[in-house]
Amino acid sequence: MDLLVESSRFAALAWLVAGLALCAVETLAPGAFFIWFGAAAAVVGVVDYVLPMGFVAQLVLFGALVAALVLIGRRVYRSLGAEPGPLPQSRAHAMIGADFFLDEAILRGYGRIRVGDSSWRVAGEDCPAGAKVRVVAVEDGSLLKVERAEEPVVPPAAPQR
């Protein structure tokens, strides 16, 4: 216990406490930023505890460690999100490209389709109930953007006599 209380060890313990405090701040304000300051402070505390050094040397080591850890951390976090992932796997996204019949007419841009036992809100050009529509996109999580799947077939007019 005498080694822990020596006055030359107070700076090392202060660095360790500051490092733990900065790591704790990271849990309150996540963003992978304070963790590097906390890790650098903890490393300076450990190094100073094992090999006591002057305050200026501690600050230089702390600055160098912060710079190195932040650069390494940014590179690691950037590489984790480098490639875009697939679309979220949801029921709405699974319907893109599928054809359905309108359960309720699209009036003023909005209507409904029935998919299994559920009813989905759709947006698109006005169409009568029963018209065949194709889902082309998902907006706002569950609003299905649709377009008419086929043009209505108009029977040829009978020749007039």
Side-chain angles (χ1 to χ4, degrees), residues 93-152:
H93 285 94
M95 288 188 252
I96 294 177
D99 293 343
F100 299 97
F101 292 99
L102 286 173
D103 195 36
E104 294 177 14
I106 299 178
L107 299 174
R108 292 184 295 282
Y110 296 99
R112 292 190 114 21
I113 61 171
R114 180 153 304 277
V115 180
D117 62 348
S118 52
S119 178
W120 290 77
R121 189 168 181 231
V122 296
E125 293 182 21
D126 290 356
C127 294
K132 190 174 186 179
V133 293
R134 178 172 293 121
V135 179
V136 294
V138 177
E139 295 178 351
D140 300 325
S142 64
L143 177 66
L144 303 175
K145 185 83 172 155
V146 296
E147 61 185 24
R148 196 138 189 176
E150 59 184 330
E151 292 299 316

